[in-house]
Coordinates of all heavy atoms in Angstrom, one line a residue:
M1 N 128.4 17.8 107.0 CA 127.1 18.1 107.5 C 126.7 16.8 108.3 O 126.8 15.7 107.9 CB 126.2 18.3 106.3 CG 124.8 18.7 106.7 SD 123.8 19.1 105.2 CE 123.9 20.9 105.3
S2 N 126.2 17.1 109.5 CA 125.8 16.0 110.4 C 124.5 15.4 110.0 O 123.7 16.1 109.3 CB 125.8 16.5 111.8 OG 124.7 17.4 112.0
L3 N 124.2 14.3 110.5 CA 122.9 13.6 110.3 C 121.8 14.4 110.8 O 120.7 14.6 110.2 CB 122.9 12.2 110.9 CG 121.7 11.3 110.6 CD1 121.6 11.2 109.1 CD2 121.9 10.0 111.2
A4 N 122.0 15.1 112.0 CA 121.0 15.9 112.6 C 120.6 17.1 111.8 O 119.5 17.5 111.6 CB 121.4 16.3 114.0
S5 N 121.7 17.7 111.2 CA 121.4 18.9 110.4 C 120.7 18.5 109.0 O 119.9 19.2 108.5 CB 122.7 19.7 110.1 OG 123.6 18.9 109.4
L6 N 121.1 17.3 108.5 CA 120.4 16.8 107.3 C 118.9 16.6 107.6 O 118.1 16.9 106.8 CB 121.0 15.5 106.8 CG 122.3 15.6 106.0 CD1 122.8 14.2 105.7 CD2 122.0 16.4 104.7
A7 N 118.6 16.0 108.8 CA 117.2 15.8 109.1 C 116.4 17.0 109.2 O 115.2 17.0 109.0 CB 117.1 15.0 110.4
N8 N 117.0 18.1 109.5 CA 116.3 19.4 109.6 C 116.4 20.3 108.4 O 115.9 21.4 108.4 CB 116.9 20.2 110.8 CG 116.6 19.5 112.1 OD1 115.5 19.0 112.3 ND2 117.5 19.6 113.1
D9 N 117.0 19.8 107.3 CA 117.1 20.5 106.1 C 115.8 20.6 105.4 O 115.2 19.5 105.0 CB 118.1 19.8 105.2 CG 118.4 20.5 103.9 OD1 117.8 21.6 103.7 OD2 119.2 20.0 103.1
P10 N 115.2 21.8 105.2 CA 113.9 21.9 104.6 C 113.8 21.3 103.1 O 112.8 20.7 102.7 CB 113.6 23.4 104.5 CG 114.6 24.0 105.4 CD 115.7 23.0 105.6
E11 N 114.9 21.5 102.4 CA 114.9 21.0 101.0 C 114.9 19.4 101.0 O 114.2 18.8 100.2 CB 116.2 21.5 100.3 CG 116.1 22.9 99.8 CD 117.3 23.3 98.9 OE1 117.6 22.5 98.0 OE2 117.8 24.3 99.1
L12 N 115.6 18.8 101.9 CA 115.7 17.4 102.0 C 114.3 16.9 102.5 O 113.8 15.9 102.0 CB 116.7 16.9 103.0 CG 116.9 15.4 103.2 CD1 117.2 14.7 101.9 CD2 117.9 15.1 104.2
Q13 N 113.7 17.6 103.4 CA 112.3 17.2 103.9 C 111.3 17.3 102.8 O 110.5 16.4 102.6 CB 111.9 18.0 105.1 CG 112.7 17.8 106.3 CD 112.3 18.7 107.5 OE1 111.6 19.7 107.3 NE2 112.8 18.4 108.7
K14 N 111.4 18.3 102.0 CA 110.5 18.5 100.8 C 110.7 17.4 99.8 O 109.8 16.8 99.3 CB 110.7 19.8 100.2 CG 109.8 20.1 99.0 CD 110.0 21.5 98.5 CE 109.1 21.7 97.3 NZ 109.3 23.0 96.7
F15 N 112.0 17.0 99.5 CA 112.3 16.0 98.6 C 111.8 14.6 99.1 O 111.1 13.9 98.3 CB 113.8 15.9 98.4 CG 114.3 14.7 97.6 CD1 114.2 14.7 96.2 CD2 114.8 13.6 98.2 CE1 114.6 13.6 95.4 CE2 115.2 12.5 97.4 CZ 115.1 12.5 96.1
V16 N 112.0 14.3 100.4 CA 111.5 13.1 100.9 C 109.9 13.0 100.9 O 109.4 12.0 100.5 CB 112.0 12.9 102.4 CG1 111.3 11.7 103.1 CG2 113.5 12.7 102.4
A17 N 109.3 14.1 101.2 CA 107.8 14.2 101.1 C 107.3 13.9 99.7 O 106.3 13.2 99.5 CB 107.3 15.5 101.7
E18 N 108.0 14.5 98.7 CA 107.6 14.3 97.3 C 107.8 12.9 96.9 O 107.0 12.3 96.2 CB 108.4 15.3 96.4 CG 107.9 16.7 96.6 CD 108.7 17.7 95.7 OE1 109.7 17.3 95.1 OE2 108.3 18.9 95.7
K19 N 108.9 12.3 97.3 CA 109.2 10.9 97.0 C 108.2 10.0 97.6 O 107.7 9.0 97.0 CB 110.6 10.5 97.4 CG 111.7 11.1 96.5 CD 111.4 10.9 95.0 CE 112.3 10.0 94.3 NZ 111.9 9.8 92.9
E20 N 107.8 10.3 98.8 CA 106.8 9.5 99.5 C 105.4 9.6 98.8 O 104.8 8.5 98.6 CB 106.6 9.9 101.0 CG 107.8 9.5 101.9 CD 107.7 10.0 103.3 OE1 106.8 10.8 103.6 OE2 108.5 9.5 104.1
L21 N 105.1 10.8 98.4 CA 103.8 10.9 97.6 C 103.9 10.2 96.3 O 102.9 9.5 95.9 CB 103.6 12.4 97.4 CG 102.3 12.7 96.6 CD1 101.1 12.2 97.2 CD2 102.2 14.2 96.3
E22 N 105.0 10.3 95.6 CA 105.2 9.6 94.3 C 105.1 8.1 94.6 O 104.4 7.4 93.8 CB 106.5 9.9 93.7 CG 106.8 9.3 92.4 CD 108.2 9.6 91.8 OE1 108.7 10.7 92.1 OE2 108.7 8.8 91.2
N23 N 105.7 7.6 95.6 CA 105.6 6.1 96.0 C 104.1 5.7 96.3 O 103.7 4.6 95.9 CB 106.5 5.8 97.1 CG 108.0 5.8 96.7 OD1 108.3 5.7 95.5 ND2 108.9 6.0 97.7
Q24 N 103.4 6.6 97.0 CA 102.0 6.3 97.3 C 101.2 6.2 96.1 O 100.3 5.3 95.9 CB 101.5 7.3 98.3 CG 102.0 7.2 99.7 CD 101.6 8.4 100.6 OE1 100.9 9.3 100.2 NE2 102.0 8.3 101.9
L25 N 101.4 7.2 95.2 CA 100.6 7.2 93.9 C 100.9 6.0 93.1 O 100.0 5.3 92.5 CB 101.0 8.5 93.1 CG 100.5 9.8 93.6 CD1 101.1 10.9 92.9 CD2 98.9 9.8 93.6
T26 N 102.2 5.6 93.0 CA 102.6 4.4 92.3 C 102.0 3.1 92.9 O 101.5 2.3 92.1 CB 104.1 4.3 92.2 OG1 104.7 5.4 91.6 CG2 104.6 3.0 91.4
A27 N 102.0 3.0 94.2 CA 101.4 1.9 94.9 C 99.9 1.8 94.6 O 99.3 0.8 94.4 CB 101.7 2.0 96.4
Q28 N 99.2 3.0 94.6 CA 97.8 3.0 94.3 C 97.5 2.6 92.9 O 96.6 1.9 92.6 CB 97.2 4.4 94.6 CG 95.7 4.5 94.4 CD 95.0 3.8 95.5 OE1 95.5 3.5 96.6 NE2 93.8 3.4 95.2
V29 N 98.3 3.0 91.9 CA 98.2 2.6 90.5 C 98.3 1.1 90.4 O 97.5 0.5 89.7 CB 99.2 3.4 89.6 CG1 99.2 2.7 88.2 CG2 98.8 4.8 89.5
H30 N 99.3 0.6 91.1 CA 99.5 -0.9 91.0 C 98.3 -1.6 91.7 O 97.8 -2.6 91.1 CB 100.8 -1.3 91.7 CG 102.0 -1.0 90.9 ND1 102.6 -1.9 90.1 CD2 102.8 0.1 90.8 CE1 103.7 -1.4 89.5 NE2 103.8 -0.1 89.9
H31 N 97.8 -1.1 92.8 CA 96.6 -1.7 93.4 C 95.4 -1.7 92.5 O 94.7 -2.7 92.3 CB 96.3 -1.0 94.7 CG 95.0 -1.4 95.3 ND1 94.8 -2.7 95.9 CD2 93.8 -0.8 95.4 CE1 93.6 -2.8 96.3 NE2 93.0 -1.6 96.0
L32 N 95.2 -0.5 91.9 CA 94.0 -0.4 91.0 C 94.2 -1.3 89.7 O 93.2 -1.9 89.2 CB 93.8 1.1 90.6 CG 93.4 2.0 91.7 CD1 93.3 3.4 91.3 CD2 92.0 1.5 92.3
T33 N 95.4 -1.4 89.3 CA 95.6 -2.3 88.1 C 95.3 -3.8 88.5 O 94.7 -4.5 87.7 CB 97.1 -2.2 87.6 OG1 97.3 -0.8 87.2 CG2 97.4 -3.1 86.4
N34 N 95.7 -4.2 89.7 CA 95.4 -5.5 90.2 C 93.9 -5.7 90.3 O 93.4 -6.8 89.9 CB 96.1 -5.8 91.5 CG 97.6 -6.0 91.4 OD1 98.1 -6.4 90.3 ND2 98.3 -5.8 92.4
V35 N 93.2 -4.7 90.8 CA 91.8 -4.8 90.9 C 91.1 -5.0 89.5 O 90.3 -5.8 89.3 CB 91.2 -3.6 91.7 CG1 89.7 -3.6 91.5 CG2 91.6 -3.6 93.1
C36 N 91.7 -4.2 88.6 CA 91.2 -4.2 87.2 C 91.4 -5.6 86.6 O 90.4 -6.2 86.0 CB 91.9 -3.1 86.4 SG 91.3 -2.9 84.7
F37 N 92.6 -6.2 86.8 CA 92.8 -7.5 86.2 C 91.9 -8.5 86.9 O 91.4 -9.4 86.2 CB 94.3 -7.9 86.5 CG 95.3 -7.4 85.4 CD1 95.3 -6.1 85.0 CD2 96.2 -8.3 84.9 CE1 96.2 -5.7 84.0 CE2 97.1 -7.9 83.9 CZ 97.1 -6.6 83.5
D38 N 91.7 -8.4 88.2 CA 90.9 -9.4 88.9 C 89.4 -9.3 88.3 O 88.8 -10.3 88.2 CB 90.9 -9.1 90.4 CG 92.2 -9.5 91.0 OD1 93.0 -10.2 90.4 OD2 92.4 -9.1 92.2
K39 N 88.9 -8.1 88.1 CA 87.6 -7.9 87.6 C 87.5 -8.5 86.2 O 86.5 -9.1 85.8 CB 87.2 -6.4 87.5 CG 87.0 -5.8 88.8 CD 85.8 -6.2 89.5 CE 85.5 -5.5 90.8 NZ 84.4 -6.1 91.6
C40 N 88.5 -8.3 85.4 CA 88.5 -8.9 84.0 C 88.4 -10.4 84.0 O 87.8 -11.0 83.2 CB 89.7 -8.5 83.2 SG 89.8 -6.7 82.8
L41 N 89.1 -11.0 85.0 CA 89.2 -12.5 85.0 C 88.3 -13.2 86.0 O 88.2 -14.4 85.9 CB 90.7 -12.8 85.4 CG 91.7 -12.3 84.4 CD1 93.1 -12.7 84.9 CD2 91.5 -12.9 83.0
E42 N 87.5 -12.5 86.8 CA 86.7 -13.1 87.8 C 85.7 -14.1 87.2 O 85.3 -15.0 87.8 CB 86.1 -12.1 88.7 CG 85.0 -11.3 88.2 CD 84.5 -10.2 89.2 OE1 85.1 -10.1 90.2 OE2 83.5 -9.6 88.8
S43 N 85.2 -13.8 86.0 CA 84.2 -14.7 85.4 C 84.8 -15.7 84.5 O 84.0 -16.5 83.9 CB 83.1 -13.8 84.7 OG 83.7 -13.2 83.6
N44 N 86.1 -15.8 84.4 CA 86.7 -16.7 83.5 C 87.3 -17.9 84.3 O 88.4 -17.7 84.9 CB 87.8 -16.0 82.7 CG 88.4 -16.9 81.6 OD1 87.7 -17.8 81.1 ND2 89.6 -16.6 81.2
G45 N 86.7 -19.0 84.3 CA 87.1 -20.1 85.0 C 88.4 -20.8 84.5 O 89.2 -21.4 85.1
N46 N 88.5 -20.7 83.1 CA 89.6 -21.4 82.5 C 90.6 -20.3 81.9 O 90.4 -19.7 80.9 CB 89.1 -22.2 81.3 CG 90.1 -23.0 80.6 OD1 91.3 -23.0 81.0 ND2 89.7 -23.8 79.6
L47 N 91.7 -20.1 82.7 CA 92.7 -19.1 82.3 C 93.5 -19.4 81.1 O 94.1 -18.6 80.5 CB 93.6 -18.8 83.5 CG 92.9 -18.1 84.7 CD1 94.0 -17.9 85.8 CD2 92.3 -16.8 84.3
S48 N 93.4 -20.7 80.6 CA 94.1 -21.0 79.4 C 93.4 -20.5 78.1 O 94.0 -20.5 77.1 CB 94.4 -22.5 79.3 OG 93.1 -23.2 79.2
E49 N 92.2 -20.2 78.2 CA 91.4 -19.7 77.1 C 90.7 -18.4 77.5 O 89.7 -18.4 78.2 CB 90.4 -20.7 76.7 CG 90.9 -22.1 76.2 CD 89.9 -23.1 75.9 OE1 88.7 -22.7 75.7 OE2 90.2 -24.3 75.9
L50 N 91.2 -17.3 76.9 CA 90.6 -16.0 77.2 C 89.7 -15.6 76.0 O 90.1 -15.7 74.9 CB 91.7 -14.9 77.4 CG 92.6 -15.1 78.6 CD1 93.6 -14.0 78.6 CD2 91.7 -14.9 79.9
S51 N 88.5 -15.2 76.3 CA 87.6 -14.7 75.3 C 88.1 -13.3 74.8 O 88.9 -12.7 75.4 CB 86.2 -14.6 75.8 OG 86.1 -13.5 76.8
S52 N 87.5 -12.9 73.7 CA 87.9 -11.5 73.2 C 87.5 -10.5 74.2 O 88.2 -9.5 74.3 CB 87.3 -11.3 71.8 OG 85.9 -11.3 71.9
R53 N 86.4 -10.7 74.9 CA 86.0 -9.7 75.9 C 87.0 -9.6 77.0 O 87.3 -8.5 77.5 CB 84.6 -10.2 76.5 CG 84.0 -9.2 77.5 CD 82.7 -9.6 78.0 NE 82.7 -10.8 78.9 CZ 83.1 -10.7 80.2 NH1 83.3 -9.5 80.8 NH2 83.1 -11.8 80.9
H54 N 87.5 -10.8 77.5 CA 88.5 -10.8 78.5 C 89.8 -10.1 78.1 O 90.4 -9.4 78.8 CB 88.8 -12.2 79.0 CG 87.7 -12.8 79.8 ND1 86.9 -13.8 79.2 CD2 87.3 -12.6 81.0 CE1 86.0 -14.1 80.1 NE2 86.2 -13.5 81.2
T55 N 90.2 -10.4 76.8 CA 91.4 -9.9 76.3 C 91.3 -8.3 76.1 O 92.2 -7.6 76.5 CB 91.7 -10.5 74.9 OG1 91.8 -11.9 75.0 CG2 93.0 -9.9 74.3
T56 N 90.1 -7.9 75.7 CA 89.9 -6.4 75.6 C 90.0 -5.8 77.0 O 90.6 -4.7 77.1 CB 88.6 -6.1 74.9 OG1 88.6 -6.7 73.6 CG2 88.3 -4.7 74.8
C57 N 89.3 -6.4 77.9 CA 89.3 -5.9 79.3 C 90.7 -5.8 79.8 O 91.1 -4.7 80.4 CB 88.4 -6.8 80.2 SG 88.2 -6.2 81.9
L58 N 91.5 -6.8 79.7 CA 92.9 -6.8 80.1 C 93.7 -5.8 79.4 O 94.6 -5.1 80.1 CB 93.5 -8.2 80.0 CG 93.0 -9.3 80.9 CD1 93.5 -10.7 80.5 CD2 93.3 -9.0 82.3
Q59 N 93.5 -5.6 78.1 CA 94.2 -4.6 77.4 C 93.9 -3.2 77.9 O 94.8 -2.3 78.0 CB 93.9 -4.7 75.9 CG 94.8 -3.7 75.0 CD 96.3 -3.9 75.2 OE1 96.7 -5.0 75.0 NE2 97.0 -2.9 75.5
N60 N 92.7 -3.0 78.2 CA 92.3 -1.7 78.8 C 93.0 -1.4 80.1 O 93.4 -0.3 80.4 CB 90.7 -1.6 79.0 CG 90.0 -1.4 77.6 OD1 90.6 -0.9 76.7 ND2 88.8 -1.9 77.6
C61 N 93.1 -2.5 81.0 CA 93.8 -2.4 82.2 C 95.3 -2.0 82.0 O 95.8 -1.1 82.7 CB 93.8 -3.7 83.0 SG 92.2 -4.2 83.6
V62 N 95.9 -2.6 81.0 CA 97.3 -2.3 80.7 C 97.4 -0.9 80.2 O 98.3 -0.1 80.6 CB 97.9 -3.3 79.7 CG1 99.2 -2.9 79.2 CG2 97.9 -4.7 80.3
D63 N 96.5 -0.5 79.3 CA 96.5 0.9 78.8 C 96.4 1.9 79.9 O 97.1 2.9 79.9 CB 95.4 1.1 77.8 CG 95.7 0.3 76.5 OD1 96.8 -0.1 76.2 OD2 94.7 0.2 75.7
R64 N 95.5 1.7 80.8 CA 95.3 2.7 81.9 C 96.5 2.7 82.9 O 96.9 3.7 83.3 CB 94.1 2.3 82.8 CG 92.7 2.4 82.1 CD 92.4 3.8 81.4 NE 93.1 4.1 80.2 CZ 92.9 3.7 79.0 NH1 92.0 2.8 78.8 NH2 93.7 4.1 78.0
F65 N 97.1 1.5 83.1 CA 98.3 1.4 83.9 C 99.4 2.3 83.2 O 100.1 3.1 83.9 CB 98.8 0.0 84.0 CG 100.1 -0.1 84.7 CD1 100.3 0.0 86.1 CD2 101.3 -0.4 83.9 CE1 101.5 -0.1 86.7 CE2 102.5 -0.5 84.5 CZ 102.6 -0.4 85.9
L66 N 99.6 2.1 81.9 CA 100.6 2.8 81.2 C 100.4 4.3 81.2 O 101.3 5.1 81.4 CB 100.8 2.3 79.8 CG 101.3 0.9 79.7 CD1 101.3 0.4 78.2 CD2 102.7 0.8 80.2
D67 N 99.1 4.7 81.0 CA 98.7 6.1 81.1 C 99.1 6.7 82.4 O 99.7 7.8 82.5 CB 97.2 6.3 80.9 CG 96.8 6.0 79.5 OD1 97.6 6.0 78.5 OD2 95.5 5.8 79.3
C68 N 98.7 6.1 83.5 CA 99.0 6.6 84.9 C 100.5 6.6 85.1 O 101.0 7.6 85.7 CB 98.3 5.7 85.9 SG 96.6 5.9 85.9
T69 N 101.2 5.6 84.7 CA 102.7 5.6 84.9 C 103.4 6.7 84.2 O 104.3 7.4 84.7 CB 103.2 4.2 84.5 OG1 102.6 3.2 85.3 CG2 104.7 4.1 84.8
T70 N 102.9 6.9 82.9 CA 103.5 8.0 82.1 C 103.2 9.3 82.7 O 104.1 10.2 82.8 CB 102.9 7.9 80.7 OG1 103.2 6.6 80.1 CG2 103.4 9.0 79.8
L71 N 102.0 9.5 83.2 CA 101.6 10.8 83.9 C 102.5 11.1 85.1 O 103.0 12.2 85.2 CB 100.1 10.7 84.3 CG 99.6 12.0 85.0 CD1 99.5 13.1 84.0 CD2 98.3 11.7 85.6
I72 N 102.7 10.1 85.9 CA 103.5 10.2 87.1 C 104.9 10.5 86.7 O 105.6 11.4 87.3 CB 103.4 9.0 88.0 CG1 102.0 8.9 88.6 CG2 104.5 9.0 89.1 CD1 101.7 7.6 89.3
T73 N 105.5 9.8 85.8 CA 106.8 10.0 85.3 C 107.0 11.4 84.7 O 108.0 12.1 85.1 CB 107.2 8.9 84.3 OG1 107.1 7.6 84.9 CG2 108.7 9.1 83.8
N74 N 106.1 11.8 83.9 CA 106.2 13.1 83.2 C 106.1 14.2 84.3 O 106.9 15.2 84.2 CB 105.2 13.3 82.2 CG 105.4 12.5 80.9 OD1 106.6 12.0 80.7 ND2 104.4 12.2 80.1
R75 N 105.3 14.1 85.2 CA 105.1 15.1 86.3 C 106.4 15.1 87.1 O 106.8 16.2 87.5 CB 103.9 14.8 87.2 CG 103.7 15.7 88.3 CD 103.3 17.1 87.7 NE 103.0 18.0 88.8 CZ 103.6 19.2 89.0 NH1 104.4 19.6 88.1 NH2 103.3 19.9 90.0
T76 N 107.0 14.0 87.4 CA 108.2 14.0 88.2 C 109.4 14.7 87.4 O 110.1 15.5 87.9 CB 108.6 12.5 88.5 OG1 107.6 11.9 89.3 CG2 109.9 12.5 89.3
I77 N 109.5 14.4 86.1 CA 110.5 15.0 85.3 C 110.2 16.5 85.2 O 111.2 17.3 85.3 CB 110.5 14.4 83.8 CG1 111.0 13.0 83.9 CG2 111.3 15.3 82.9 CD1 110.8 12.2 82.6
Q78 N 109.0 16.9 85.1 CA 108.7 18.3 85.0 C 109.1 19.1 86.3 O 109.7 20.2 86.3 CB 107.2 18.5 84.8 CG 106.7 19.9 84.6 CD 105.2 20.0 84.5 OE1 104.4 19.3 85.2 NE2 104.7 20.7 83.5
R79 N 108.9 18.4 87.5 CA 109.2 19.1 88.7 C 110.8 19.1 88.9 O 111.3 20.1 89.4 CB 108.6 18.3 89.9 CG 107.2 18.5 90.0 CD 106.5 18.2 91.3 NE 106.9 17.2 92.1 CZ 106.1 16.2 92.6 NH1 104.9 16.2 92.3 NH2 106.6 15.3 93.4
I80 N 111.5 18.1 88.4 CA 112.9 18.1 88.4 C 113.4 19.3 87.5 O 114.3 20.0 87.9 CB 113.5 16.8 88.0 CG1 113.2 15.7 89.0 CG2 115.0 16.9 87.7 CD1 113.5 14.3 88.6
Q81 N 112.9 19.4 86.4 CA 113.3 20.5 85.4 C 113.0 21.9 86.0 O 113.8 22.8 85.7 CB 112.7 20.3 84.1 CG 113.2 19.1 83.3 CD 112.5 18.8 82.0 OE1 111.4 19.2 81.8 NE2 113.1 18.0 81.2
Q82 N 112.0 22.0 86.8 CA 111.6 23.3 87.3 C 112.5 23.6 88.6 O 112.3 24.6 89.2 CB 110.2 23.3 87.7 CG 109.3 23.4 86.5 CD 107.8 23.3 86.8 OE1 107.4 23.0 88.0 NE2 106.9 23.5 85.9
G83 N 113.3 22.6 89.0 CA 114.1 22.7 90.2 C 113.4 22.6 91.5 O 113.8 23.2 92.5
R84 N 112.3 21.9 91.5 CA 111.4 21.8 92.7 C 111.9 20.6 93.5 O 112.4 19.7 93.3 CB 110.0 21.6 92.4 CG 109.4 22.9 91.7 CD 108.1 22.7 91.2 NE 107.2 23.3 92.2 CZ 105.9 23.1 92.2 NH1 105.3 22.4 91.3 NH2 105.1 23.8 93.0

């Protein structure tokens, strides 16, 4: 199969589009996690001592990151199993 015929393959184009969407979603999750971390720490001048409020805030950021990552992973697995 030539490179030109691969580029015109609808299945390959669909796969690439899905991977690009997955990468965009993952990048957005990482960006939002960074924003979350920044918000948690913006009022803490001394990073060597985190208050319980800061620790809870950071834990919530981590939990949401894991939730989103799990959701994206499970959805990807589901689409693979469905043969999409």
Side-chain angles (χ1 to χ4, degrees):
M1 190 174 257
S2 71
L3 188 57
S5 64
L6 279 176
N8 292 322
D9 182 4
E11 283 188 46
L12 181 60
Q13 289 175 351
K14 182 178 178 182
F15 174 78
V16 169
E18 288 176 355
K19 288 310 250 178
E20 286 176 352
L21 178 60
E22 184 181 327
N23 288 339
Q24 289 172 356
L25 289 171
T26 301
Q28 186 66 25
V29 168
H30 284 267
H31 170 73
L32 292 173
T33 300
N34 286 336
V35 169
C36 186
F37 274 49
D38 290 345
K39 291 288 183 187
C40 289
L41 298 175
E42 70 185 6
S43 64
N44 187 29
N46 185 0
L47 291 179
S48 64
E49 298 176 20
L50 294 175
S51 69
S52 63
R53 184 179 71 81
H54 290 104
T55 303
T56 300
C57 185
L58 290 169
Q59 184 61 52
N60 287 335
C61 291
V62 171
D63 290 345
R64 295 305 70 79
F65 172 80
L66 292 174
D67 290 344
C68 290
T69 301
T70 301
L71 179 70
I72 291 169
T73 302
N74 288 341
R75 181 67 179 126
T76 300
I77 290 169
Q78 185 182 43
R79 288 199 326 229
I80 289 169
Q81 289 173 341
Q82 291 173 350
R84 294 174 103 191

